[in-house]
Amino acid sequence: EDGNKVNRLSAWISKIDTRRKGDRSIVWTTQLFATVDNISLEGGLTEAFGCHVIDQDKSKIYLAGTVYNGGTMDSAQRSGGGDDVWVAQLNSDDGSLRWIKQIGSKGDDRLAKTNGIESDLNGHAIIYGETNGELYRRRRGEKTNKDDGTSTDIFVTTLDIDTGASES
């Protein structure tokens, strides 16, 4: 089936060789798909909002984004409900996936659209974003603060460079 006809939105990243001025070429492209049922790509929606080459080990790169509407980025992961944040570590030489981690609550959790991922001095991923759920604190039924019925918290967390385990 023609993949362009499937109703989905996927994240992608390309490495481009810029060493020769007039002859820039794509070295590799990796596309990451979301699924809503762990079977089909139909309806899976995800976007990547940040990438970061790890200064301590240039053979690794982080890519991160948001997966929407209860979708998952990997069949081994589960959605927390609503929108979730995902972080992937790729091999910068060939674009192969080293690991992928999905983080979410029952509410909507989103990666910051600007500078949402960095790395610390040891190469661990640092992610920034917002949540209207109980991602790292209990809201205890608190009232919303805005006229449109939403209220979000900002979160910051780290993920282990080797496993992607949360360091919160």
Side-chain angles (χ1 to χ4, degrees):
E1 182 176 340
D2 181 357
N4 293 324
K5 293 182 180 177
V6 177
N7 177 27
R8 54 134 167 77
L9 176 66
S10 60
W12 60 272
I13 182 172
S14 292
K15 180 177 181 177
I16 300 173
D17 185 349
T18 61
R19 290 178 287 188
R20 292 184 282 173
K21 286 199 171 194
D23 186 27
R24 289 179 170 83
S25 61
I26 295 174
V27 178
W28 54 258
T29 297
T30 297
Q31 193 166 5
L32 299 173
F33 299 94
T35 179
V36 292
D37 59 7
N38 284 334
I39 298 170
S40 163
L41 300 178
E42 184 74 28
L45 302 173
T46 185
E47 291 181 282
F49 294 115
C51 80
H52 183 81
V53 176
I54 303 170
D55 293 332
Q56 295 75 4
D57 184 351
K58 301 246 188 268
S59 72
K60 298 175 183 172
I61 187 170
Y62 288 122
L63 184 66
T66 302
V67 59
Y68 300 104
N69 303 322
T72 57
M73 294 299 293
D74 178 67
S75 60
Q77 305 281 314
R78 290 200 169 174
S79 173
D83 302 341
D84 289 346
V85 172
W86 59 268
V87 177
Q89 188 186 94
L90 305 174
N91 180 323
S92 64
D93 295 327
D94 63 8
S96 61
L97 184 68
R98 292 176 178 262
W99 54 257
I100 190 164
K101 177 76 173 176
Q102 186 165 329
I103 301 165
S105 67
K106 290 182 181 179
D108 290 326
D109 314 292
R110 297 183 185 104
L111 185 75
K113 291 186 179 182
T114 304
N115 298 326
I117 186 157
E118 295 290 335
S119 65
D120 67 13
L121 295 175
N122 296 315
H124 303 296
I126 304 170
I127 57 171
Y128 311 85
E130 66 175 351
T131 179
N132 63 11
E134 294 185 352
L135 190 58
Y136 292 111
R137 76 171 179 106
R138 298 218 187 275
R139 290 167 108 28
R140 295 184 177 91
E142 72 185 34
K143 295 187 179 191
T144 56
N145 297 325
K146 295 183 179 180
D147 292 337
D148 65 359
T150 62
S151 176
T152 60
D153 291 334
I154 294 171
F155 71 85
V156 176
T157 191
T158 60
L159 302 177
D160 183 77
I161 188 172
D162 296 318
T163 64
S166 179
E167 298 284 320
S168 299

